[in-house]
Amino acid sequence: MFQLGRFILSRLVSMVVTIFLIITITFFLMHAIPGGPFASEKKLPEAIEKALNEKYHLDDPLHKQYVDYLKGVAVGDFGPSFKLKGQNVSDIIAQRFPVSAQLGGIAIFLILIAGIPLGVVAALKQGTWVDNMVMFLAIIGVTIPSFVIATVMIYTFSVKLGWLPPARWGEFDQMIMPSIALAAYAMAFVARLTRSSMLEVISQDYIRTARAKGLTEKVVVFKHALKNALIPIVTYIGPLSAGIMTGSFVIEKIFAVPGLGRFFVDSITSRDYTVIMGVTIFYATFLVIMILVVDILYAFIDPRIKLDQ
């Protein structure tokens, strides 16, 4: 337990350093881009633009803006949105993230309940028609972009058959197509990854020993083989979860899902600096947390893996 606590503490320190570097790089990159948040095709009168820059302290020296922004981030304040009047970036993230997290959570659930079992079955039936069929579907899944899958699903199940609504979010039938479209690539990749990992594990000596002792195939597969085969899957799922749950702008845009990813893209096109930086910092924090969780899970999945600094 002491070793685990020391490991987590060291990782927390490295997380803080990583996030600080991301804040710094993002801040100065945003200010290095020509133009500004109030630049548009229709140029504002100079007096109005000057007043807006003064209101949001954009006329302060860059180093002062940077220090002030760091102070705000330290207390969880990402500042006001330049484009959405009266809205704070922290509030926007709090409103939009639950939608993206719900979509991502359903997608991850589909990835796990479909990808892992298909990979296991393909490995156990290596060389049979079952293995070939699973790998054929997996190849299709990893080669066809998610936006193509989304478009085909809308055309088939909404336009032609009329079974599902083509857009929006909230009702159960509105969640089906976005979740499947978002999960398709990762589901196929996890199936391929599980298959290759299982094939490697079941060829090990300790698996042959377990079978020689008379253990049932169910015990050999689920108690001994699958546990060790899950390590690369956990490695992949950790960062993937951060990316999926913080918003997929392509899927959210196609299905008009009011999530964080779609809003992030809109903020980029409108050069809403504070929103871009706030969402970037939020995503980075979520990602490094998920990586830490994966590292901790390693020790529970495989006791041979030791946590160290």
Side-chain angles (χ1 to χ4, degrees):
M1 183 62 72
F2 174 75
Q3 186 182 19
L4 176 61
R6 188 175 59 178
F7 172 79
I8 293 175
L9 181 61
S10 66
R11 280 307 182 91
L12 288 175
V13 173
S14 65
M15 284 167 56
V16 171
V17 174
T18 301
I19 294 171
F20 170 75
L21 292 175
I22 291 172
I23 294 172
T24 303
I25 294 171
T26 305
F27 180 88
F28 287 105
L29 280 177
M30 286 296 98
H31 286 79
I33 297 174
F38 306 116
S40 61
E41 294 181 1
K42 185 178 179 181
K43 185 172 177 59
L44 293 172
E46 186 176 344
I48 294 178
E49 187 171 349
K50 182 179 179 181
L52 288 171
N53 287 330
E54 184 177 348
K55 177 182 178 181
Y56 292 107
H57 304 287
L58 295 177
D59 56 348
D60 290 344
L62 191 58
H63 70 275
K64 185 178 186 304
Q65 294 183 49
Y66 173 66
V67 172
D68 290 341
Y69 188 74
L70 286 179
K71 291 178 181 178
V73 171
V75 295
D77 181 12
F78 296 113
S81 169
F82 292 151
K83 297 296 182 178
L84 302 177
K85 295 181 180 179
Q87 293 197 42
N88 189 281
V89 176
S90 301
D91 297 332
I92 293 171
I93 293 174
Q95 294 167 6
R96 302 277 183 153
F97 174 65
V99 177
S100 293
Q102 187 179 24
L103 171 60
I106 297 172
I108 291 170
F109 176 74
L110 294 175
I111 292 166
L112 295 177
I113 66 166
I116 294 177
L118 285 174
V120 171
V121 170
L124 297 178
K125 301 292 184 179
Q126 183 185 13
T128 66
W129 69 269
V130 176
D131 181 24
N132 294 333
M133 178 62 69
V134 171
M135 288 301 97
F136 174 73
L137 294 174
I139 291 172
I140 292 177
V142 297
T143 53
I144 300 179
S146 59
F147 67 86
V148 174
I149 295 175
T151 304
V152 171
M153 291 179 69
I154 291 175
Y155 178 77
T156 304
F157 298 107
S158 296
V159 177
K160 286 296 184 181
L161 299 177
W163 291 353
L164 297 170
R168 305 307 303 169
W169 184 261
E171 302 297 329
F172 175 75
D173 57 352
Q174 295 172 336
M175 301 179 182
I176 296 174
M177 289 197 296
S179 301
I180 294 175
L182 182 59
Y185 172 84
M187 191 187 303
F189 187 85
V190 166
R192 290 170 58 88
L193 188 62
T194 303
R195 177 184 180 275
S196 61
S197 182
M198 278 292 294
L199 287 175
E200 182 180 351
V201 170
I202 60 179
S203 65
Q204 300 294 320
D205 291 339
Y206 74 93
I207 295 296
R208 287 194 287 268
T209 302
R211 283 172 172 158
K213 289 181 178 179
L215 296 179
T216 63
E217 190 67 12
K218 182 178 179 180
V219 173
V220 172
V221 171
F222 291 101
K223 186 176 180 181
H224 297 283
L226 183 58
K227 186 176 181 181
N228 290 327
L230 284 177
I231 293 176
I233 289 89
V234 171
T235 304
Y236 175 69
I237 290 293
L240 174 72
S241 300
I244 287 183
M245 294 185 70
T246 49
S248 169
F249 68 87
V250 174
I251 298 302
E252 290 183 0
K253 196 75 173 177
I254 292 175
F255 291 99
V257 177
L260 191 60
R262 180 186 174 194
F263 184 73
F264 182 57
V265 175
D266 293 339
S267 69
I268 293 175
T269 57
S270 62
R271 295 188 178 184
D272 200 341
Y273 289 169
T274 50
V275 173
I276 296 172
M277 290 188 291
V279 175
T280 301
I281 295 166
F282 178 78
Y283 171 77
T285 303
F286 200 93
L287 178 60
V288 294
I289 289 174
M290 291 306 300
I291 292 174
L292 173 62
V293 171
V294 168
D295 289 340
I296 295 174
L297 285 176
Y298 283 157
F300 291 96
I301 294 174
D302 189 349
R304 295 172 299 176
I305 298 176
K306 301 298 182 181
L307 296 176
D308 53 35
Q309 297 186 33

